[in-house]
Amino acid sequence: MKVLLVYPNDRMDGLISVGISVLSAHLKAAGHQVELFDTTFYDTGKKTGDFYREQMGQIISVDLSKHGVHRKKITLNDLQKNFRNKVLEYNPGLIGFSTLEITYDQGLELAKAIEDLTIPVLFGGIYPTFAPRIVLREPSIDMICEGEGEEMIVELANNLEKGKDITKILNLTVKKDGKVFRSGEEVMLEDLPTGDNIYGEQTGLRRPQTHMGKTLLPPDYSIYDDKRFWKKMGGKSWRTIAVELSRGCPYTCTFCCVPMQQHQHRVSRDLYAKHKGIENNALKQKDPYHREKPIPHFINEIKDAIEKYDINFVFITDESFLSMSRDRFEELCEAYKEIRLPFFIETRVETVKPGYAKKLEEIGCAGIAMGVESGSLNLRKTLLSRMMPDDVIIRGFKEFENTNIRISANNIMGFPGESREDIMKTIEINRKINPDSVVVNAFRPYSGTKLRKICIDKGLIPKEERAEDNRVYGAFDNGILTSEELENIRKVFALYVKFPKSRWKEIKKAETDSVLFNKLMKEFKHKQLLNRKNREKSPESLHENISANEIFINDEDAVII
């Protein structure tokens, strides 16, 4: 059967999707044909995430046009026509969309363009998993996948091709004859979750997770336009693939969807055991939440991509890369010597052990990102479920200071109840860790997170509101600071971190003075301060005896927002 996969990507995340690639591999292995409709290179008017980060001095600007990477300006109406023409030309038996909360809107508009056709439309991804009621309300969407879809979509395609019943497929919620069937059980649409209360709503997951050694197939990158391999990394352009070494983060940050995924996994495991009449204790051993891919499989995937797609950079998508045993780390380092391509990782500061940074540098690690999120210890403990003290954060970053690995610090601004003083603590700790890139995202109350429910309970957002891209402008009033105040600080966050404190008064004025901001940002970029080795002074010498309160509260010359 022909399957059309759809990747709505109006924010132009330059990284190839692992999820879409793996779904294609499993469908093709089952004998189905697969093509991809990817909106990455269509510009319908939304600025890309990179645009905002470049404007705020968070990342180094790179021009990919020399590699033929261009975005075509197009109206939404014309994009819908292009998509409809693709569907009519290809005539698939199933159309599958992969969506995040921030890309769901574009996916929905595409689905509306073919609403009159009889081809089944499936939506999958994190947003349909957490908010199935909202997604299935749409007449243009026939069914959703809740949770991982590698095995589910193959079973769905097989049954559709053979004309068999699809209502009993596990992890599939489908509308049929005016009814809704969820993993084989008839349910009421209005009883399904909206993502607002993560523990008060029942999960639709019933299927054991994909086994990364026995079941998971290597990604199929052949469905992508060749220009999609080009990605900006560390101020350069690379031909990049995304590869996963593990799935599932073991931590429980309240701004992240992981705690809900952990909860769903526990519940679904119990329900699956009951459904199959087996002991749940035995299932737990076979179906852990955090799973690791065998390292030989990982190495072979990269070798294959080098041969087929001429890639020269590896982006490892693990949520916490170093959450592995020391033995596995040593095995990986030894095996990766066969590859020696530069690679990028993300991890938690607690997972960085002495000697790991040098070892990673030796085998080709070119970049690492770790989360600070907030410099306020009280906020981390009481709101974010990030219990590490400041010295653990600093120590984790300092391990990489004497390497050539680019260091990126991830921060979030605008948590509910976060004050300006809290934000200044985040700036202070960023000055101490001295990263290359200072990434500052706006807090967004994404569906399926603990902080979303807190925001709703506090009246900061209405129920069922979709959260925006955390990279773009436009935070929401957090109960302490207005959206404008938060965005003004975020705009100059990198300047506070990278310039000497003697210039903080000037930076403070630049929060509301666009001419001054542009002047300072021009200087920031000219001095290439997104490289820790280009700092005018060492981080230690920049910590002058000037308190944040003196500048932001008691300074009569400062601009008051």
Side-chain angles (χ1 to χ4, degrees):
M1 188 176 76
K2 292 180 179 180
V3 179
L4 180 64
L5 297 178
V6 186
Y7 187 48
N9 189 23
D10 51 1
R11 295 295 189 186
M12 195 188 172
D13 184 342
L15 189 65
I16 279 176
S17 166
V18 174
I20 287 281
S21 308
V22 173
L23 289 177
S24 177
H26 280 259
L27 285 165
K28 286 183 177 181
H32 302 289
Q33 299 178 52
V34 181
E35 289 193 12
L36 174 66
F37 188 87
D38 181 358
T39 73
T40 298
F41 294 143
Y42 290 109
D43 178 3
T44 55
K46 287 186 179 180
K47 298 291 185 183
T48 68
D50 282 349
F51 168 83
Y52 293 101
R53 287 183 170 171
E54 289 167 5
Q55 290 289 305
M56 291 183 278
Q58 297 182 18
I59 62 173
I60 301 171
S61 178
V62 178
D63 183 9
L64 294 179
S65 63
K66 62 184 178 182
H67 303 297
V69 178
H70 300 279
R71 297 185 81 205
K72 177 184 178 182
K73 288 189 177 297
I74 190 172
T75 65
L76 175 59
N77 185 55
D78 284 341
L79 177 62
Q80 289 176 311
K81 288 179 180 178
N82 286 359
F83 177 62
R84 183 179 176 87
N85 288 338
K86 172 66 179 180
V87 171
L88 293 173
E89 176 189 343
Y90 185 51
N91 192 28
L94 172 66
I95 302 174
F97 289 73
S98 177
T99 60
L100 302 170
E101 190 159 352
I102 64 173
T103 62
Y104 171 73
D105 283 344
Q106 188 182 57
L108 178 59
E109 292 302 325
L110 294 177
K112 288 178 179 178
I114 56 168
E115 190 173 328
D116 60 314
L117 305 181
T118 58
I119 304 169
V121 172
L122 168 74
F123 267 54
I126 200 72
Y127 187 63
T129 296
F130 288 154
R133 187 198 310 178
I134 295 173
V135 177
L136 285 172
R137 281 177 186 162
E138 298 295 335
S140 55
I141 300 173
D142 301 303
M143 60 192 86
I144 63 168
C145 172
E146 297 187 56
E148 295 177 342
E150 291 92 356
E151 296 173 77
M152 189 288 298
I153 198 170
V154 170
E155 186 176 351
L156 173 61
N158 289 344
N159 283 16
L160 287 172
E161 187 176 41
K162 297 173 184 177
K164 297 173 65 176
D165 180 30
I166 63 172
T167 62
K168 294 182 175 59
I169 296 175
L170 300 182
N171 285 21
L172 180 73
T173 303
V174 57
K175 295 183 292 188
K176 184 178 181 181
D177 300 327
K179 299 178 181 179
V180 178
F181 298 90
R182 196 182 197 200
S183 290
E185 300 176 5
E186 185 177 347
V187 297
M188 299 299 295
L189 179 61
E190 290 307 309
D191 290 337
L192 296 180
T194 61
D196 291 337
N197 180 6
I198 66 170
Y199 296 127
E201 300 173 321
Q202 184 60 270
T203 176
L205 277 66
R206 297 291 186 276
R207 185 185 296 269
Q209 296 184 123
T210 306
H211 194 288
M212 297 196 74
K214 298 177 182 177
T215 308
L216 188 67
L217 297 177
D220 170 31
Y221 303 115
S222 68
I223 56 176
Y224 288 96
D225 184 312
D226 185 73
K227 293 189 290 293
R228 282 288 273 116
F229 290 98
W230 288 105
K231 179 171 174 56
K232 308 172 185 180
M233 291 297 302
K236 299 179 182 179
S237 53
W238 303 89
R239 285 184 62 85
T240 306
I241 55 164
V243 186
E244 54 186 352
L245 185 56
S246 69
R247 286 186 182 180
C249 177
Y251 296 95
T252 57
C253 300
T254 56
F255 53 82
C256 181
C257 64
V258 163
M260 178 55 172
Q261 290 176 309
Q262 294 170 344
H263 168 69
Q264 286 187 328
H265 177 56
R266 288 191 297 269
V267 173
S268 67
R269 199 164 52 191
D270 292 341
L271 292 170
Y272 181 78
K274 182 179 179 181
H275 173 70
K276 290 293 185 180
I278 58 178
E279 288 292 331
N280 195 22
N281 288 336
L283 184 60
K284 287 179 182 179
Q285 301 299 319
K286 298 178 181 178
D287 187 27
Y289 173 70
H290 180 256
R291 292 148 291 155
E292 296 176 329
K293 180 182 293 182
I295 289 171
H297 292 199
F298 172 76
I299 297 297
N300 287 337
E301 287 175 14
I302 298 173
K303 287 180 177 179
D304 186 62
I306 293 171
E307 181 180 341
K308 290 182 179 178
Y309 309 107
D310 193 29
I311 62 109
N312 57 15
F313 198 95
V314 179
F315 191 109
I316 301 175
T317 62
D318 296 33
E319 294 164 295
S320 182
F321 175 81
L322 291 176
S323 293
M324 65 177 80
S325 69
R326 186 178 290 273
D327 286 346
R328 180 172 166 84
F329 178 73
E330 294 293 342
E331 180 189 356
L332 173 64
C333 290
E334 185 62 31
Y336 201 82
K337 291 177 182 178
E338 299 179 46
I339 305 296
R340 289 207 171 272
L341 284 188
F343 62 94
F344 175 87
I345 61 172
E346 293 183 284
T347 198
R348 294 265 301 210
V349 290
E350 305 98 316
T351 65
V352 181
K353 297 180 175 65
Y356 273 23
K358 282 292 185 184
K359 196 84 172 179
L360 286 167
E361 182 183 34
E362 289 171 5
I363 64 169
C365 183
I368 182 170
M370 293 184 286
V372 174
E373 315 310 358
S374 172
S376 167
L377 178 59
N378 181 61
L379 199 67
R380 292 199 303 269
K381 284 186 173 181
T382 61
L383 189 68
L384 307 183
S385 188
R386 293 178 67 86
M387 305 303 179
M388 74 286 278
D390 287 0
D391 65 307
V392 171
I393 296 175
I394 294 168
R395 190 184 313 124
F397 279 91
K398 290 295 183 183
E399 282 290 325
F400 291 87
E401 192 170 50
N402 294 321
T403 70
N404 289 317
I405 299 172
R406 280 191 59 82
I407 308 167
S408 180
N410 292 336
N411 304 273
I412 301 175
M413 275 184 52
F415 292 116
E418 184 180 32
S419 67
R420 189 175 186 110
E421 181 182 2
D422 292 326
I423 295 170
M424 293 313 301
K425 289 177 180 177
T426 308
I427 288 170
E428 288 283 14
I429 200 168
N430 273 266
R431 289 170 65 81
K432 290 177 182 177
I433 61 179
N434 191 30
D436 294 289
S437 295
V438 182
V439 175
V440 193
N441 295 318
F443 166 68
R444 307 293 189 202
Y446 288 117
S447 299
T449 64
K450 289 185 178 182
L451 285 191
R452 179 178 180 85
K453 186 174 188 306
I454 289 174
C455 288
I456 291 172
D457 292 344
K458 289 180 177 291
L460 299 175
I461 61 167
K463 291 182 178 180
E464 299 192 11
E465 179 176 271
R466 273 195 293 282
E468 251 288 7
D469 188 342
N470 59 16
R471 299 167 294 185
V472 306
Y473 299 140
F476 68 96
D477 295 4
N478 74 343
I480 299 292
L481 297 168
T482 67
S483 172
E484 184 179 13
E485 287 173 320
L486 286 165
E487 285 304 306
N488 283 340
I489 302 170
R490 183 160 75 117
K491 181 175 66 176
V492 298
F493 190 102
L495 302 181
Y496 280 127
V497 173
K498 295 295 188 178
F499 281 158
K501 277 191 174 180
S502 59
R503 302 189 65 182
W504 273 17
K505 292 181 183 179
E506 190 180 6
I507 297 169
K508 169 67 168 132
K509 293 178 182 178
E511 291 183 22
T512 54
D513 184 334
S514 59
V515 174
L516 180 56
F517 168 75
N518 290 334
K519 176 185 174 183
L520 293 178
M521 189 54 65
K522 184 177 181 180
E523 178 186 350
F524 177 89
K525 293 178 179 179
H526 176 72
K527 292 181 176 179
Q528 298 182 339
L529 294 183
L530 284 180
N531 183 329
R532 64 185 184 274
K533 296 178 182 179
N534 290 339
R535 295 283 296 275
E536 291 181 322
K537 299 178 182 180
S538 69
E540 291 77 12
S541 66
L542 289 174
H543 289 283
E544 304 158 2
N545 293 321
I546 304 176
S547 72
N549 286 342
E550 285 179 272
I551 291 175
F552 290 97
I553 297 177
N554 298 328
D555 187 344
E556 296 179 357
D557 295 326
V559 176
I560 304 299
I561 300 176

